[in-house]
Amino acid sequence: MAIIHELSPHLADLIAAGEVVERPSSVAKELIENAIDAGSTRITVEIENGGISYLRIADNGCGMSAEDAPVAFRRHATSKLRTEADLAAIGTLGFRGEALAAISSVTRIDLFTRQKGAIAGIHLHLEAGDIQVQEEAGCPEGTTIVVRDLFYNTPARMKFLKKDFTEAGYILGVVQHAALSHPEIAFCLIRDGKQVFSTDGKGKLVTPVFAVFGKDMTANMLEVPRCERNGMAVYGYIVKPHAGRPNRSMQHFFVNGRYVKSRLMQAALEEAYRNAIITGKYPSGAVFLELPLGAVDVNVHPAKTEVKFSQEKPVFEAVYVACKNALAASDNIPLLQHKEKAAADKPQEKPQQTTPSFVQQRFAAPVSQTVQPGQKVAEVPVIEDFLVAVPPRTPKPAPRGLYVAAPRILREEPSADEVPVLEEPIPTEKQAVPQAQEKLPSDSIKQMTEHRSFEQPAPVIQETASAPAPAVVPPEPTFAPLDSGARVIGECFQTYLIAEDADGLILIDKHAAHERILFNKLRAQTDMPQQELLTPVVVELSGEEAAAVQAGIEQIRQAGFVIDDFGENSFAVRSVPAYLDSADVPSVISELADKLIHSRAAVPDRLDDLIHTVACKAAIKAGKATSLTELQDLCDRVLADENVRSCPHGRPTTVRLTKYEIDKLFKRVNQ
């Protein structure tokens, strides 16, 4: 008796369907991709019962002829590949010719299609992959496919489907991804007779971004201007760091118009937010990558949701630089908005799927960021400076003439019905007396802060002239006084600085802001302090790690290490950064090697944490009184530096409350 036998075509189709058709959203994805490849400008998706019992996809694409329509449902029948060479440069979303055959084997399908200019179309009815009806039919130009009773002939797979609402949510995600990747196509999703998603198809990316992310998140988004680097282009929209989410569900990545799940692009995006987003929060957005077709392989996953890049490091650099530049150009200051409670008897209107005026004004004209020769852009993360050096924007001068000189309260001249406020004169000059440096908990940290020429960010003001002389006098600041256009009017809870400018009120967390200023200075040091080890530490690495360290040994040395080759797969570390314990050397070197292997910056998290500690201990403490002169100096420095919008742990340092929002609180404006 024969043991090995050939599977029947029907059973082979069922097995193939298991790879392609997992749930109704899988069917929707394949059919929408076919509609996009057909050159459609309008695609409508209609579902019932989560797409399990009914799924209809209609497009106005090129359609199919009476000869091609039946062939399209055969296995490995496609119009998108001709030769082996075509596999090296796939520019369409579908290409294998398996989708229609796999879908038809587990469903009942009705196909209506007509080519442009044809007098009549064709109708096909299939059950379990067999054509039952083939006839001429009157139908609009394009293709309409109706899929009914998914898995009707494989009931064992029905138990793996979830509730109708959940399955409908998966289909919504597929439509959203298609709308983001093709803003030139108008998409519409109808669920159980109600329209739940739509885009206008006018080609502006902000429209599907608003439809997918919603009003509140879109208001906190930044445009990533088109950035060309390494022969590829990156653009899209990402959120400001203060608007991070507790998960990565709102991260969408696209490669040449195809939605993909890419850990490489995810790592590059999150690396751009490093030290700017709250720990435990993740960035959101839609990031698009365009690169030569031959530089990416899309044929590595049955569902085509994963891709493989021929060179990963240039891709990482391109995504990182584009996102980092967009973040560096933003102020990242949250706006406090006053929201009125809706009246109990006022019916809630369903929000329209249209782009609001504030989004149209903000993102009206896309900006191109093609890198020209000699143009300065954000650098890929390096050892000594992981943050992008962006020159601060010139602050707009505030109309100070509108304000009455007062140290605590700034206001216009009171009207007749207002209570006058007793005003105190502002000090005419600043008398800064340096304060003794605080004792830090670690001797190594203390030595570093005493012997290195760190600038003291804001000299502490002594209230009395007879204060004792400090034990250690820091050098006098060499910087020029700054004028941010904002005026400090006091502080609250001895923690938050309160300032005023022409646009409204500004609240600054003085400890978080000062901590970030010190952190940036520590990270910007080009001459990293070192401590020589009494006995060199020999680090044993794997072959792959040793090769990565050998290739990036100059970068590691710039981080403060004196490291030499010490035999096969071994390295001798003779000096380390002054604030690093010798016991941590092996793990740090291993971490450096891992990051070099994965095309990331060779800056270990352990060093960042140590720098966080130094900056935190040396910064102004919350709960301590601070003079008005110090507060003004801190305010000017925070507002003048675009890199001081969050503390090293990601908490925001600055929050703005506009005058309009204050007027709304006091009912001075119509709402």
Side-chain angles (χ1 to χ4, degrees):
M1 179 178 178
I3 300 177
I4 300 176
H5 60 277
E6 187 177 358
L7 297 177
S8 66
H10 178 66
L11 183 56
D13 288 340
L14 291 180
I15 295 174
E19 297 179 352
V20 178
V21 184
E22 180 183 3
R23 53 180 8 105
S25 61
S26 305
V27 178
K29 174 181 178 295
E30 298 292 345
L31 298 182
I32 289 175
E33 288 179 351
N34 286 342
I36 294 173
D37 289 338
S40 305
T41 60
R42 185 179 65 256
I43 299 176
T44 300
V45 181
E46 183 178 359
I47 61 175
E48 293 179 3
N49 304 117
I52 300 173
S53 62
Y54 182 85
L55 169 64
R56 181 178 71 91
I57 296 182
D59 65 67
N60 62 346
C62 63
M64 290 182 285
S65 65
E67 295 79 14
D68 287 342
V71 181
F73 289 92
R74 299 176 187 174
R75 289 196 66 189
H76 306 302
T78 178
S79 62
K80 301 160 188 176
L81 288 179
R82 294 289 183 184
T83 64
E84 295 179 6
D86 294 339
L87 281 174
I90 297 175
T92 56
L93 298 179
F95 56 89
R96 292 177 178 169
E98 293 179 318
L100 290 180
I103 293 171
S104 64
S105 66
V106 291
T107 59
R108 296 184 174 96
I109 289 183
D110 283 285
L111 168 71
F112 299 88
T113 183
R114 179 164 73 94
Q115 288 184 319
K116 292 185 178 181
I119 298 176
I122 185 173
H123 166 229
L124 297 179
H125 177 74
L126 299 89
E127 292 190 8
D130 295 329
I131 298 178
Q132 306 291 329
V133 177
Q134 180 176 345
E135 60 185 3
E136 285 191 354
C139 55
E141 293 180 346
T143 302
T144 299
I145 296 184
V146 179
V147 180
R148 295 184 175 89
D149 304 329
L150 180 63
F151 299 142
Y152 80 98
N153 56 348
T154 53
R157 299 184 62 184
M158 289 287 293
K159 64 182 180 180
F160 294 100
L161 298 180
K162 299 183 179 180
K163 295 182 179 179
D164 294 351
F165 184 84
T166 304
E167 296 295 343
Y170 291 142
I171 295 179
L172 174 61
V174 169
V175 177
Q176 289 177 340
H177 293 153
L180 285 171
S181 60
H182 295 276
E184 74 282 1
I185 301 177
F187 286 89
C188 177
L189 174 61
I190 301 172
R191 183 181 65 198
D192 298 327
K194 296 181 180 180
Q195 179 177 303
V196 295
F197 180 86
S198 67
T199 59
D200 57 14
K202 294 183 178 179
K204 293 184 177 180
L205 180 58
V206 67
T207 302
V209 166
F210 173 77
V212 172
F213 291 94
K215 176 181 177 181
D216 293 339
M217 187 174 291
T218 305
N220 286 310
M221 275 192 158
L222 309 169
E223 182 180 7
V224 179
R226 186 180 181 88
C227 176
E228 296 184 0
R229 184 184 179 93
N230 299 331
M232 56 192 72
V234 178
Y235 61 95
Y237 288 90
I238 56 177
V239 297
K240 292 184 176 181
H242 73 267
R245 290 171 53 84
N247 54 58
R248 299 184 175 96
S249 62
M250 297 298 284
Q251 293 181 1
H252 307 289
F253 301 103
F254 301 85
V255 176
N256 291 340
R258 180 192 304 274
Y259 170 73
V260 299
K261 298 176 181 178
S262 174
R263 292 187 178 182
L264 180 68
M265 296 179 66
Q266 172 187 304
L269 172 66
E270 295 182 1
E271 201 76 33
Y273 282 81
R274 187 183 176 95
N275 299 322
I277 196 168
I278 297 176
T279 303
K281 299 290 185 179
Y282 300 94
S284 303
V287 180
F288 298 81
L289 173 66
E290 294 179 357
L291 72 169
L293 299 179
V296 57
D297 185 3
V298 300
N299 194 22
V300 297
H301 191 275
K304 297 170 291 187
T305 57
E306 297 180 6
V307 297
K308 184 177 182 180
F309 300 103
S310 60
Q311 292 183 328
E312 294 186 344
K313 187 174 182 179
V315 173
F316 182 93
E317 291 180 357
V319 175
Y320 172 84
V321 169
C323 296
K324 192 67 175 180
N325 281 339
L327 293 173
S330 168
D331 55 15
N332 190 33
I333 299 179
L335 296 179
L336 299 182
Q337 298 183 357
H338 169 62
K339 296 182 180 180
E340 291 288 343
K341 293 184 178 180
D345 55 348
K346 183 177 180 180
Q348 297 292 329
E349 298 181 358
K350 183 179 179 180
Q352 299 294 324
Q353 293 284 356
T354 57
T355 308
S357 58
F358 80 90
V359 176
Q360 295 175 351
Q361 294 173 0
R362 181 176 179 185
F363 304 111
V367 182
S368 177
Q369 195 186 23
T370 302
V371 178
Q372 302 295 336
Q375 180 180 353
K376 184 177 181 180
V377 297
E379 293 296 334
V380 180
V382 293
I383 305 287
E384 63 275 8
D385 185 8
F386 194 77
L387 299 176
V388 179
V390 179
R393 294 180 294 183
T394 304
K396 297 184 295 185
R400 296 201 175 192
L402 300 177
Y403 307 139
V404 177
R408 295 293 177 182
I409 300 179
L410 298 180
R411 52 181 292 159
E412 299 176 356
E413 292 294 340
S415 58
D417 57 346
E418 292 181 334
V419 179
V421 177
L422 182 61
E423 299 175 350
E424 302 176 2
I426 286 184
T428 57
E429 61 181 359
K430 301 180 181 180
Q431 299 178 352
V433 179
Q435 187 187 35
Q437 190 178 44
E438 295 186 14
K439 183 177 180 181
L440 302 179
S442 172
D443 292 339
S444 61
I445 296 177
K446 181 178 180 181
Q447 292 176 2
M448 182 185 70
T449 54
E450 287 181 355
H451 295 293
R452 294 178 65 188
S453 57
F454 292 121
E455 293 179 356
Q456 297 298 321
V460 180
I461 307 302
Q462 299 289 344
E463 299 297 333
T464 61
S466 60
V472 178
V473 179
E476 289 295 332
T478 58
F479 45 76
L482 299 175
D483 185 3
S484 63
R487 189 171 187 179
V488 174
I489 58 179
E491 64 176 330
C492 60
F493 313 118
Q494 293 184 333
T495 302
Y496 303 105
L497 179 156
I498 307 174
E500 178 189 35
D501 63 5
D503 298 325
L505 287 180
I506 303 171
L507 303 178
I508 298 177
D509 185 331
K510 61 182 185 180
H511 171 75
H514 194 197
E515 180 183 359
R516 184 58 187 234
I517 292 174
L518 295 178
F519 177 79
N520 290 349
K521 289 182 179 180
L522 287 169
R523 293 300 302 272
Q525 293 298 317
T526 57
D527 184 16
M528 188 68 66
Q530 296 178 338
Q531 59 177 345
E532 186 173 355
L533 302 178
L534 294 177
T535 303
V537 176
V538 178
V539 181
E540 299 284 345
L541 301 174
S542 66
E544 187 179 14
E545 290 176 336
V549 170
Q550 188 64 45
I553 196 166
E554 290 302 325
Q555 298 179 18
I556 297 176
R557 288 169 178 167
Q558 293 174 14
F561 292 87
V562 174
I563 181 172
D564 299 309
D565 194 353
F566 196 73
E568 186 177 359
N569 299 338
S570 300
F571 293 87
V573 181
R574 308 181 188 282
S575 294
V576 297
Y579 42 83
L580 182 65
D581 190 271
S582 60
D584 295 327
V585 170
S587 60
V588 171
I589 297 299
S590 178
E591 186 176 351
L592 287 168
D594 179 71
K595 292 195 173 185
L596 289 171
I597 291 172
H598 294 89
S599 303
R600 298 176 62 188
V603 181
D605 299 339
R606 192 181 305 276
L607 299 184
D608 274 353
D609 294 338
L610 291 171
I611 295 177
H612 290 176
T613 302
V614 175
C616 184
K617 296 298 182 181
I620 299 173
K621 301 300 185 292
K624 290 187 178 181
T626 311
S627 71
L628 192 65
T629 305
E630 288 180 287
L631 294 176
Q632 182 66 59
D633 182 75
L634 178 62
C635 175
D636 292 338
R637 300 194 180 285
V638 170
L639 298 182
D641 190 349
E642 297 293 340
N643 289 328
V644 189
R645 292 295 177 260
S646 64
C647 77
H649 307 286
R651 292 186 294 107
T653 61
T654 309
V655 174
R656 179 179 290 277
L657 181 62
T658 65
K659 182 178 182 300
Y660 177 75
E661 295 295 336
I662 298 176
D663 289 339
K664 286 172 62 177
L665 290 170
F666 288 97
K667 310 298 182 182
R668 284 181 171 268
V669 296
N670 295 327
Q671 303 181 36

